[in-house]
Amino acid sequence: MTYDSIIIGAGLSGLTCGLLLAKSGRRVLILEQHSEPGPVVRGFLRRGIYFDSGFHYAGGLGEGGPLRLLLKHLGLVEKLKFLPFVADGFDRLRITGSGDDIALPVGMARIAAHLSELFPHLQSEIITFLDEIEERWCDFPYLNLNKDFTAVGLASLDELSLARRLEVFSSAPELQTLLSMHALLYGIAPQQASVTLNAQVAGSYFHSAHGIDGGGRRLIDACLQRLTESGATVRCRADVVQILSSDGKVAGVQLADGEIIAATEVIATCNPALVPAMLPAGVLRPAYRKRLEQLYQTPSALILYARCATPTSTLRRTNLFVCPKPGTLQVALDRTLEDRPMYLAGADHCPDTDGTRGVIAIIPADFDEVAARQNSTGQRCSEYLNWKKQMARRLVRHVMTSVPELGELEPLDMATPLTLHDYSRAPQGAIYGVGRVMGQYNPQPQTRLPGFYLSGQAVAGPGLLGTLVAGYYTCGTIMGHELLRGELRTCR
Ligand SMILES: Cc1cc2nc3c(=O)[nH]c(=O)nc-3n(C[C@H](O)[C@H](O)[C@H](O)COP(=O)(O)OP(=O)(O)OC[C@H]3O[C@@H](n4cnc5c(N)ncnc54)[C@H](O)[C@@H]3O)c2cc1C
């Protein structure tokens, strides 16, 4: 069978592209190397607790929020229930050894009032900083339907880094930590992240913060239902090794088992560094090929999934960022685990499981910490498994010391950079794939090979918001941005 569109990867971006293209009447096939669709996001069960893996909360899902509009247009809103995070503190910061946590309330005005009360001598600087975030956080034509496309993709090379911007708060190092901690959610150190990138991620959460009832798994299942309703096909264990071309345009793909599937459009949503090896030699210009291969990959992570001895409300619809010392966030991977920042989330988004006991702790880590622990064929040796157990115990101790109110914790599982690599194929298990570091032009959807496009978090940004926007951006490039934006306007 010939498809109109083949999409490589059934992550959030691939599923979004599939939904949009199927909605337009195309015959769509989504190919996923993993055994299940949405492998990064679909979470897993351990001892009766559902743990989310690649989705804990999202910004912009509030009533009238731009992410909610995209989900509505995709036909997903009626299939999902959004869970508002704690209004007085959806995110909290704990600086090791200091007094009380600092909470971030939901809503720009409430954040401004709360921070001005805590740091009165910086009130006007705080308000200016938040105004800048408000101005930039949805500065993309699929989030702001009044904005045009002329400036999209042109990263400003002379923009301030977040670290430089936060120098104005040097008399309040805790405030610098609070306003830079969301760098953990996009994987770029504040020294290399632009103020715009930070505004896009942090700003969406400042606006509203929600989880999804049933977690990432419910989100993926809702996408799959809609895809079935639209006649699209999703195939798993379908490892694309070649993107085929004929007569100067894309012709389909070849799978690892040799199967060839023809299509007139192919969209790669996998990490773009993987794309050059899939294309016949000469299709990409050498400079572009090199650019894709050398894109900045975000660090990886160690992720602990643990069970509290007794149910806890400490992380119920609120996250905790634990930072070893005040000042602009340092994501120094050469420091010991205990000296790195840590993000903690609860696991209670699945009401039919024992989630009020579940704790998830994410600490940035380097692939090199595990690379040597697999053999030359990529097989995990017993040394790796022992190391993983030891690290899980060490992380549990660290979490119990940092957040004693959680009580006794039992490690149930752990993800390492190798795990993250298995689930996404991202080089070195990059947690958010290709990041948007300052000075780098991230790839655009259009490529030199007619009919072949890129999408995924590298194109627009990480997270549910970034990946949905990436899907719209790529499909808008194919079908016409004004067509999609027109449809979105009618959904408001
Ligand atoms: C630990 C963690 C926590 C996170 N928490 C949040 C959160 O709370 N909120 C939020 O909004 N975001 C969060 N994110 C980010 C979010 O999960 C990602 O931004 C998003 O899932 C990326 O989607 P994607 O489709 O661009 O990429 P991916 O999900 O990586 O999809 C690419 C797909 O391509 C497949 N693939 C690769 N190569 C091939 C091939 N050759 N053939 C076939 N298939 C292939 C991969 O298996 C993969 O499924 C988190 C991510 C992680 C890892």
Side-chain angles (χ1 to χ4, degrees), residues 221-233:
D221 287 346
C223 291
L224 294 174
Q225 258 181 35
R226 282 295 297 141
L227 283 164
T228 307
E229 286 160 14
S230 325
T233 307

Side-chain angles (χ1 to χ4, degrees), residues 186 211 321 461:
Y186 50 82
F321 292 74

Side-chain angles (χ1 to χ4, degrees), residues 50 83 213 315-317 346-351 353 355-358:
Y50 167 78
L83 308 171
D213 189 22
L315 294 168
R316 191 166 159 74
R317 307 215 183 136
D348 67 329
H349 293 163
C350 219
T353 78
T356 48
R357 288 174 190 264

Side-chain angles (χ1 to χ4, degrees), residues 43-93:
F44 58 90
L45 272 167
R46 285 289 175 279
R47 297 262 302 276
I49 302 177
Y50 167 78
F51 286 100
D52 257 317
S53 51
F55 177 75
H56 305 290
Y57 71 143
L61 270 180
E63 228 24 92
L67 180 55
R68 190 181 280 238
L69 180 67
L70 300 183
L71 291 174
K72 187 172 171 197
H73 176 243
L74 294 172
L76 296 172
V77 162
E78 51 276 23
K79 296 189 186 295
L80 298 170
K81 185 172 155 205
F82 305 116
L83 308 171
F85 268 43
V86 176
D88 289 342
F90 68 96
D91 279 345
R92 287 172 296 130
L93 166 67

Side-chain angles (χ1 to χ4, degrees), residues 362-430:
I362 308 182
I363 294 195
D366 203 337
F367 188 73
D368 290 346
E369 294 178 45
V370 289
R373 295 174 204 275
Q374 58 178 345
N375 67 23
S376 55
T377 60
Q379 298 267 300
R380 311 296 146 79
C381 46
S382 56
E383 195 218 325
Y384 168 72
L385 300 174
N386 289 336
W387 172 85
K388 203 171 144 178
K389 272 191 197 144
Q390 268 173 33
M391 291 308 272
R393 283 198 290 269
R394 183 168 156 193
L395 265 174
V396 156
R397 278 196 302 277
H398 177 43
V399 174
M400 282 168 56
T401 311
S402 309
V403 196
E405 61 271 37
L406 288 173
E408 196 65 31
L409 288 181
E410 177 192 359
L412 295 189
D413 212 330
M414 201 176 91
T416 74
L418 288 178
T419 324
L420 293 178
H421 174 264
D422 287 349
Y423 281 76
S424 66
R425 287 267 176 93
Q428 313 218 318

Side-chain angles (χ1 to χ4, degrees), residues 7-15 31-34 36-41 53-59 185 205 238-241 255 269-271 274 278 301 303 305 343 362 420 422-426 430-432 455-458 461-467 470:
I7 297 157
I8 305 172
L12 289 173
S13 318
L15 296 172
L31 297 170
E32 169 57 50
Q33 58 92 16
H34 205 264
E36 289 184 294
V40 172
V41 169
S53 51
F55 177 75
H56 305 290
Y57 71 143
L185 307 184
Y205 290 111
D239 186 356
V240 176
V241 288
L255 304 185
T269 71
C270 55
N271 194 295
L274 306 175
M278 293 182 190
I303 309 176
Y305 302 96
Y343 164 86
I362 308 182
L420 293 178
D422 287 349
Y423 281 76
S424 66
R425 287 267 176 93
I431 184 165
Y432 306 118
S455 195
Q457 55 192 341
L464 181 57
L465 187 65
T467 52

